[in-house]
Amino acid sequence: MAKSDKINFSTPSGFPEFLPSEKRLEVYLLDIIRKVFESYGFTPIETPAVERLEVLQAKGNQGDNIIYGIDPILPPNRQAEKDKSGETGSEARALKFDQTVPFAAYIARHLNELTFPFARYQMDVVFRGERAKDGRFRQFRQCDIDVVARGKLSLLYDAQMPAIITEIFEAINIGDFVIRINNRKILTGFFQSVGVAENQIKACIGIIDNLEKIGETKVKQELEKEGISSEQTEKIIEFIKIDGSVDDVLDKLKYLGLNLPSAEEFNLGVSELETVINGVRDLGVADKRFCIDLSIARGLNYYTGTVYETSLIGHEALGSICSGGRYEELVGMFLGEKMPGVGISIGLTRLISRLLKAGILNTLPPTPAQVMVVNMQEDLMPVYLKVSQQLRQAGINVVTNFDKKQLGKQFQSADKQGIRFCVIIGADEAAAEKSSLKDLQTGEQIEVALANLAEEIKQRLGIIKSV
Amino acid sequence: MAKSDKINFSTPSGFPEFLPSEKRLEVYLLDIIRKVFESYGFTPIETPAVERLEVLQAKGNQGDNIIYGIDPILPPNRQAEKDKSGETGSEARALKFDQTVPFAAYIARHLNELTFPFARYQMDVVFRGERAKDGRFRQFRQCDIDVVARGKLSLLYDAQMPAIITEIFEAINIGDFVIRINNRKILTGFFQSVGVAENQIKACIGIIDNLEKIGETKVKQELEKEGISSEQTEKIIEFIKIDGSVDDVLDKLKYLGLNLPSAEEFNLGVSELETVINGVRDLGVADKRFCIDLSIARGLNYYTGTVYETSLIGHEALGSICSGGRYEELVGMFLGEKMPGVGISIGLTRLISRLLKAGILNTLPPTPAQVMVVNMQEDLMPVYLKVSQQLRQAGINVVTNFDKKQLGKQFQSADKQGIRFCVIIGADEAAAEKSSLKDLQTGEQIEVALANLAEEIKQRLGIIKSV
């Protein structure tokens, strides 16, 4: 067989590929995330990877993203079809670069088939022509939830988000984290009150959102560059640095609202924030899991109320591991209808890559098999197959070793793959309907009747928690 | 908010999109399939949607497929980067059109990081520029498993495939099916024995593979068009029509092998088939689930031994619902190494679409929620939130109704979404730590102490099996 040695078979730059031990970690995390999403009634959807270009570019939502157009390549023997294939000459299409614009299109496409408030999750991959640098991928998976309404959407949906974030990251067990909550109306309202012009407010919010990244001095400089007076800048900086317990901050905000001029928007934001915080508490989220952080704004302009970021304590440099917020004019864009919504997003591919690199998460064993039935002698194969099936029917993942090798080599191979148990059946054991069970984790080897084998293994798997 | 009314927000032709009730069915089926795959030790991998074009076109494997090249589109404010983005001018890339070529590339890319025999599953979406007609999609999900070895690969891996197919389709519960098994060496050997020239054999196999689709007369005509004599054609037709029980057919083949001239390849195939059949039986697959069908050949030229197709009894027109086989020179293509492998594939998107249309499968309720905690009075919301969390912690999927509506309307909304239970708590119930539990499936309404609510619901969900 000739080697195709002129072919560069590496992945295209920026398109990541997991080894089995990494992919299994992703599957494990996706299962946890999905289970939490579904426990709150979020239902799965998936939109195609490919959309009409005009959809992706609607409302200027391409943003700064390089998106990938798609272009049919006919096989050599079908070149003649070029004009009649229905593929060429058709409208421009491209790969989706986020889940938001396609979700808006999904709602427009199925408006009358969905029940509102519509709570959906989506865990698809998206594509962006990022420069392939550290932690940036051109294809990555995002885990998003949003709930959207026609008309009004209760602020208690906003309160559910921190409960969901908490459950997910507690289940993943990545150490302490804190969800930083704010409300854009408080920021907007405060800026109005100190006299920042309407058309400067969004830019100012964008600047203070970078406080953590660029530091206070830089924020001041940038605000002044925007034309904000140094007096206003001082007030803004003092304001966004308000901290303390959640109740302290709420008290300070309420007190401030009493004295601010034209504080309507501000006070509305404070009242929304208080409702959300009360809901978060009623949902049983521990106080240490959330705080109010007035410097959180989320760069994206579409947020209009509650906003969230999540920091891993001791690893703040990783940035937010789950963010989101409330919006009004996003998912209704194709319908010309205001549809309030609130959502969060976990950039899973990037998160896994960063958590692995930081040693916060470990990969899983490269195989899901928990048991290897070893091959002692070929003529016992019918017994090995039968025992393997009995274990599988009991819910255990099993590989049968079809290749006859030295027993030690078979143990080695199992151990290398992270398979915990070896089942050993020679002629004597087969005759006596017994087996030797070797636990590679403890080194123990015990005799077990075949009738009890599944039970014994399940017990051992249960005692030492396996993932 | 202005409507973007010039935008065509429909999906591009041929790119399917599921409603929640359909997507939930897909998720449910993927879980079943994954569980069976993993119980045999197959491990998940995922290759990027995008590969270098030269990889996809290696060994002429584009076949008849229209594939989608990708082409970066810069946002308006970044046009100046056109030449330095690292995206333009780089090598051609395209979307994968099957899992086979990327799997071969995966093996080449990670050869030294994988343990062989390497058993992997893959459930990614692939892209083909099919004409968008009945049941053909341009993006679809395939569930593939393959096990590949360096050197020799036991025929017992071939025997596992029918066991896996059986477990999956019994779990999905779609009625009776039969796995038709053959071995290409038997066909090739028979053709050699009746004097068909080497260079005509592949074409002949392609023709008889169409027997079920085009009928006997057409097969004869096409064989004769290939230059096969009518005497040879008669022998071939008679041969591929051999039927009976598995043991009958094996006996007939063995007897035939004794008298055929130059029957080496033929007899090797028969012996392989017998080994596989014995393994399938040792794995406990019921006799009614499989048969030998000498007309099964799989069109694809890379198969060299065992081949499988699966027919749904009473719905044969649906075609094969799971197919595959053994190959030698497929996954090693980028390494120039013979790597024997055996695999099967379920074209899930197409299968779901056909089974739904044929009424063999039904969609699931549009939400995973099993319980709605209804809203009797706003001031009891803290109780509703607490009860919702208790149920979630017990593993139940819950929506809390934040909008105050008539009780009947809330029941209606739950019923419409397929939510089975409503939990009703008024002021009196809250004071007494009780609730009324309404089972919308039976119409019953009973009083349950809040402390026992999760248990009661779980029992009811367990009694009437829910999916």
Side-chain angles (χ1 to χ4, degrees):
Chain A
M1 186 175 178
K3 186 172 165 182
S4 314
D5 53 8
K6 277 185 205 143
I7 294 173
N8 176 356
F9 54 69
S10 62
T11 50
S13 171
F15 289 88
E17 181 166 77
F18 286 144
L19 285 171
S21 53
E22 297 160 342
K23 178 66 187 172
R24 288 195 65 227
L25 174 64
E26 189 195 46
V27 170
Y28 167 74
L29 297 177
L30 284 169
D31 280 347
I32 288 177
I33 294 169
R34 162 154 71 108
K35 199 162 159 250
V36 176
F37 286 170
E38 294 198 345
S39 78
Y40 286 79
F42 287 82
T43 200
I45 71 162
E46 182 177 353
T47 65
V50 176
E51 293 277 357
R52 292 171 200 277
L53 184 60
E54 60 178 323
V55 165
L56 298 179
Q57 291 178 331
K59 300 266 170 194
N61 270 313
Q62 175 171 4
D64 275 347
N65 299 303
I66 293 176
I67 59 184
Y68 292 115
I70 67 166
D71 183 29
I73 300 167
L74 268 64
N77 59 333
R78 290 178 63 183
Q79 291 298 325
E81 297 170 47
K82 205 121 206 170
D83 297 320
K84 44 178 176 163
S85 73
E87 283 281 5
T88 43
S90 63
E91 70 293 323
R93 294 160 298 179
L95 295 173
K96 62 180 169 186
F97 61 89
D98 74 3
Q99 318 253 44
T100 307
V101 178
F103 178 49
Y106 185 90
I107 290 204
R109 298 196 275 250
H110 306 292
L111 188 66
N112 296 320
E113 297 155 293
L114 305 174
T115 305
F116 290 87
F118 179 56
R120 80 84 174 84
Y121 70 90
Q122 209 166 338
M123 317 212 287
D124 313 351
V125 293
V126 298
F127 302 85
R128 280 183 211 171
E130 307 266 8
R131 286 185 201 83
K133 53 184 176 182
D134 180 52
R136 292 278 170 195
F137 300 113
R138 290 175 174 168
Q139 167 178 341
F140 52 95
R141 192 178 298 279
Q142 280 188 307
C143 301
D144 289 6
I145 50 174
D146 287 271
V147 52
V148 297
R150 308 186 72 175
K152 255 181 72 83
L153 182 76
S154 166
L155 285 165
L156 291 173
Y157 288 108
D158 303 41
Q160 282 189 339
M161 296 296 165
I164 291 169
I165 297 172
T166 299
E167 277 185 55
I168 289 171
F169 289 109
E170 285 183 352
I172 293 178
N173 195 13
I174 52 171
D176 269 345
F177 57 89
V178 65
I179 304 159
R180 298 147 86 187
I181 309 176
N182 194 10
N183 188 303
R184 291 263 294 223
K185 291 191 181 74
I186 298 179
L187 292 177
T188 308
F190 185 82
F191 289 157
Q192 286 168 346
S193 298
V194 299
V196 175
E198 273 312 312
N199 61 4
Q200 288 179 308
I201 289 180
K202 282 191 176 170
C204 289
I205 288 180
I207 292 166
I208 65 144
D209 192 42
N210 283 328
L211 178 67
E212 201 164 32
K213 214 176 354 182
I214 64 178
E216 192 177 317
T217 318
K218 203 92 205 289
V219 165
K220 280 184 186 164
Q221 284 167 5
E222 298 215 354
L223 285 174
E224 277 162 27
K225 247 189 263 169
E226 264 310 307
I228 310 302
S229 75
S230 58
E231 193 195 350
Q232 286 169 323
T233 298
E234 284 307 323
K235 282 185 186 163
I236 291 170
I237 296 287
E238 192 190 354
F239 173 72
I240 61 175
K241 283 166 73 182
I242 290 175
D243 66 356
S245 75
V246 164
D247 294 314
D248 283 351
V249 177
L250 278 175
D251 284 347
K252 288 177 195 168
L253 290 173
K254 281 193 256 183
Y255 180 77
L256 195 59
L258 298 175
N259 302 302
L260 275 185
S262 354
E264 214 167 283
E265 176 89 352
F266 180 87
N267 287 331
L268 177 59
V270 173
S271 148
E272 285 187 6
L273 183 60
E274 188 171 27
T275 304
V276 171
I277 294 289
N278 288 339
V280 171
R281 283 183 168 150
D282 287 337
L283 283 160
V285 180
D287 267 16
K288 66 168 180 175
R289 294 296 186 209
F290 63 97
C291 69
I292 297 174
D293 185 334
L294 298 171
S295 75
I296 297 297
R298 305 299 303 146
L300 299 166
N301 276 332
Y302 49 72
Y303 291 121
T304 54
T306 315
V307 284
Y308 322 89
E309 290 195 359
T310 310
S311 305
L312 207 52
I313 293 171
H315 299 272
E316 286 76 5
L318 293 179
S320 175
I321 57 174
C322 180
S323 313
R326 175 178 277 250
Y327 45 81
E328 306 291 329
E329 304 206 348
L330 187 59
V331 293
M333 70 168 98
F334 296 107
L335 297 165
E337 182 179 325
K338 268 204 187 194
M339 298 181 85
V342 60
I344 52 172
S345 178
I346 301 173
L348 191 65
T349 307
R350 193 155 179 233
L351 183 66
I352 291 176
S353 142
R354 288 145 77 207
L355 294 182
L356 283 175
K357 210 173 276 177
I360 298 165
L361 270 184
N362 293 313
T363 58
L364 298 192
T367 169
Q370 297 155 318
V371 171
M372 176 186 282
V373 176
V374 303
N375 187 343
M376 300 290 285
Q377 45 189 94
E378 295 285 350
D379 61 335
L380 289 177
M381 192 50 74
V383 178
Y384 301 149
L385 294 178
K386 197 174 158 201
V387 170
S388 300
Q389 290 300 68
Q390 279 168 353
L391 297 179
R392 286 183 189 120
Q393 271 146 33
I396 299 164
N397 299 335
V398 182
V399 289
T400 323
N401 211 351
F402 297 137
D403 302 318
K404 178 86 191 65
K405 280 185 204 149
Q406 278 189 342
L407 192 56
K409 290 224 164 134
Q410 297 188 55
F411 290 163
Q412 259 175 33
S413 162
D415 199 39
K416 186 182 156 198
Q417 296 174 74
I419 299 174
R420 182 163 157 198
F421 299 101
C422 284
V423 169
I424 306 144
I425 305 172
D428 294 347
E429 280 110 338
E433 306 224 320
K434 282 182 182 169
S435 71
S436 288
L437 178 66
K438 190 173 176 75
D439 186 335
L440 294 169
Q441 193 167 302
T442 64
E444 251 179 305
Q445 183 166 330
I446 57 167
E447 208 177 78
V448 188
L450 289 180
N452 303 331
L453 188 58
E455 205 46 44
E456 177 68 32
I457 292 169
K458 280 170 81 173
Q459 228 163 59
R460 284 174 178 255
L461 285 171
I463 291 162
I464 300 161
K465 207 188 156 229
S466 82
V467 284
Chain B
M1 188 176 178
K3 186 171 165 184
S4 313
D5 53 7
K6 278 186 205 140
I7 294 174
N8 176 355
F9 54 68
S10 63
T11 50
S13 170
F15 289 88
E17 181 165 79
F18 286 143
L19 285 171
S21 54
E22 297 160 341
K23 178 66 188 173
R24 287 194 66 227
L25 174 64
E26 188 194 47
V27 170
Y28 168 73
L29 296 177
L30 284 169
D31 279 348
I32 288 178
I33 294 169
R34 163 154 70 110
K35 199 162 159 250
V36 176
F37 287 169
E38 293 198 346
S39 78
Y40 285 79
F42 287 82
T43 199
I45 71 162
E46 181 177 354
T47 66
V50 176
E51 294 276 357
R52 292 171 200 277
L53 184 60
E54 59 178 324
V55 165
L56 297 179
Q57 290 178 331
K59 300 267 171 194
N61 270 311
Q62 176 171 1
D64 275 347
N65 299 304
I66 294 177
I67 59 184
Y68 292 115
I70 67 166
D71 183 30
I73 299 168
L74 268 65
N77 59 334
R78 290 177 64 183
Q79 290 298 325
E81 296 169 48
K82 204 124 207 167
D83 297 319
K84 44 178 177 164
S85 74
E87 283 281 4
T88 44
S90 65
E91 69 294 323
R93 294 160 298 179
L95 296 173
K96 62 180 170 185
F97 62 89
D98 74 2
Q99 318 252 44
T100 307
V101 178
F103 178 48
Y106 186 91
I107 290 202
R109 297 195 276 248
H110 306 293
L111 189 66
N112 297 319
E113 297 155 293
L114 304 175
T115 305
F116 291 87
F118 179 56
R120 79 86 174 82
Y121 71 89
Q122 209 165 339
M123 317 212 287
D124 313 351
V125 293
V126 299
F127 302 85
R128 281 184 211 169
E130 308 266 8
R131 285 184 202 84
K133 52 183 176 183
D134 180 54
R136 292 279 169 193
F137 300 113
R138 290 174 174 169
Q139 168 178 340
F140 52 95
R141 192 178 299 279
Q142 280 188 307
C143 301
D144 289 6
I145 49 173
D146 287 271
V147 51
V148 298
R150 308 187 71 176
K152 255 179 74 80
L153 182 75
S154 166
L155 285 165
L156 291 173
Y157 287 107
D158 302 42
Q160 282 188 340
M161 296 296 164
I164 291 169
I165 296 172
T166 299
E167 277 185 54
I168 289 171
F169 289 109
E170 285 183 353
I172 294 178
N173 196 14
I174 52 170
D176 269 344
F177 57 89
V178 64
I179 303 158
R180 299 146 89 187
I181 308 175
N182 195 9
N183 188 302
R184 292 264 294 225
K185 291 191 181 74
I186 297 179
L187 291 178
T188 308
F190 186 81
F191 289 157
Q192 287 168 346
S193 298
V194 299
V196 175
E198 273 313 313
N199 61 3
Q200 288 179 306
I201 289 179
K202 281 191 177 170
C204 289
I205 289 179
I207 292 166
I208 65 146
D209 192 41
N210 282 328
L211 178 67
E212 200 163 33
K213 218 181 341 188
I214 63 177
E216 193 178 316
T217 319
K218 203 92 204 287
V219 164
K220 280 185 188 165
Q221 284 168 5
E222 297 214 354
L223 285 173
E224 278 161 27
K225 246 189 262 167
E226 264 308 310
I228 310 300
S229 75
S230 59
E231 193 195 350
Q232 287 169 323
T233 298
E234 285 307 324
K235 281 185 187 163
I236 291 170
I237 296 287
E238 191 190 354
F239 174 73
I240 61 175
K241 283 166 72 181
I242 290 175
D243 66 357
S245 74
V246 164
D247 294 313
D248 284 349
V249 177
L250 278 176
D251 283 347
K252 287 177 196 169
L253 290 172
K254 280 193 255 183
Y255 180 76
L256 193 61
L258 297 175
N259 302 301
L260 276 183
S262 350
E264 215 168 279
E265 176 89 352
F266 180 87
N267 287 331
L268 177 59
V270 174
S271 148
E272 285 186 8
L273 182 60
E274 188 171 28
T275 303
V276 171
I277 294 288
N278 288 340
V280 172
R281 283 181 167 152
D282 288 337
L283 284 160
V285 180
D287 268 16
K288 66 167 181 175
R289 293 297 185 209
F290 62 96
C291 69
I292 297 174
D293 185 334
L294 298 172
S295 75
I296 296 297
R298 304 299 305 143
L300 298 166
N301 276 331
Y302 50 72
Y303 291 121
T304 54
T306 315
V307 282
Y308 321 89
E309 289 195 359
T310 310
S311 305
L312 208 50
I313 294 171
H315 299 273
E316 287 76 5
L318 293 178
S320 175
I321 58 174
C322 180
S323 314
R326 174 178 276 249
Y327 45 81
E328 305 291 329
E329 304 206 347
L330 186 60
V331 293
M333 72 167 99
F334 296 106
L335 298 165
E337 183 179 324
K338 268 204 187 192
M339 297 180 87
V342 60
I344 51 172
S345 178
I346 301 173
L348 191 65
T349 307
R350 192 154 179 233
L351 183 66
I352 291 176
S353 141
R354 288 145 77 208
L355 294 182
L356 284 176
K357 209 173 278 176
I360 298 166
L361 271 183
N362 292 312
T363 58
L364 298 191
T367 171
Q370 297 154 319
V371 172
M372 176 187 281
V373 176
V374 303
N375 188 342
M376 300 289 286
Q377 44 189 93
E378 295 285 351
D379 62 335
L380 289 177
M381 192 50 74
V383 178
Y384 301 148
L385 294 178
K386 197 175 158 201
V387 170
S388 300
Q389 290 301 68
Q390 280 168 352
L391 297 180
R392 286 183 189 120
Q393 271 146 33
I396 299 164
N397 299 335
V398 183
V399 288
T400 322
N401 211 351
F402 297 137
D403 301 318
K404 179 84 191 67
K405 280 186 206 149
Q406 277 188 341
L407 192 56
K409 290 225 163 132
Q410 297 190 54
F411 290 163
Q412 259 175 33
S413 161
D415 199 38
K416 186 181 157 200
Q417 296 175 73
I419 299 174
R420 180 161 158 200
F421 299 100
C422 284
V423 169
I424 307 144
I425 305 172
D428 293 347
E429 280 111 339
E433 306 225 320
K434 281 183 186 169
S435 70
S436 289
L437 178 66
K438 189 173 177 74
D439 186 334
L440 293 170
Q441 193 167 301
T442 64
E444 252 179 306
Q445 183 166 330
I446 57 168
E447 206 177 83
V448 188
L450 289 179
N452 303 332
L453 188 58
E455 205 48 42
E456 177 68 32
I457 292 170
K458 281 170 81 174
Q459 228 163 57
R460 285 173 178 257
L461 284 172
I463 291 162
I464 302 160
K465 208 188 156 227
S466 81
V467 285

